[in-house]
Amino acid sequence: MRVIEYGTIESKRIATLPARLKIIFSRLSAVIERAKPDELAIESAFYHKNVQSTLKLGHARGVAMLAGILKDLNILRVKSNAQW
């Protein structure tokens, strides 16, 4: 496995969670379309004292996985401290 592209998708200025999830999905889908990867690596979830933050992270991870699955990508879950 090698890294083709990485980055962040910011959506903090968008008011509602559904709108943020839509932005994450559409921008990640565009990256997948452009880069044409074979696999999509997503960091494993971590647990935080703030339950709301953990739930929102779960929603975002789910949308990211869906973007990859819809493009028939193999989804890899990696530890957040993985060395590339």
Side-chain angles (χ1 to χ4, degrees):
M1 173 172 40
R2 69 182 175 86
V3 176
I4 296 173
E5 187 169 334
Y6 64 90
T8 59
I9 298 171
E10 294 193 24
S11 62
K12 294 177 184 176
R13 296 182 184 161
I14 300 167
T16 67
L17 179 61
R20 287 183 196 150
L21 295 174
K22 180 180 177 184
I23 290 292
I24 291 168
F25 180 82
S26 64
R27 290 185 185 168
L28 184 55
S29 294
V31 170
I32 292 168
E33 190 66 32
R34 180 180 71 247
K36 302 204 182 318
D38 297 320
E39 300 174 315
L40 175 65
I42 298 178
E43 285 184 337
S44 296
F46 61 90
Y47 302 95
H48 194 271
K49 292 179 183 178
N50 184 329
V51 175
Q52 289 299 316
S53 294
T54 302
L55 288 171
K56 289 175 185 175
L57 175 62
H59 292 313
R61 289 181 74 246
V63 166
M65 284 186 219
L66 179 61
I69 289 167
L70 290 176
K71 295 293 184 177
D72 295 320
L73 298 181
N74 184 33
I75 308 298
L76 305 173
R77 284 176 270 164
V78 296
K79 294 181 181 179
S80 59
N81 62 352
Q83 299 294 316
W84 299 98

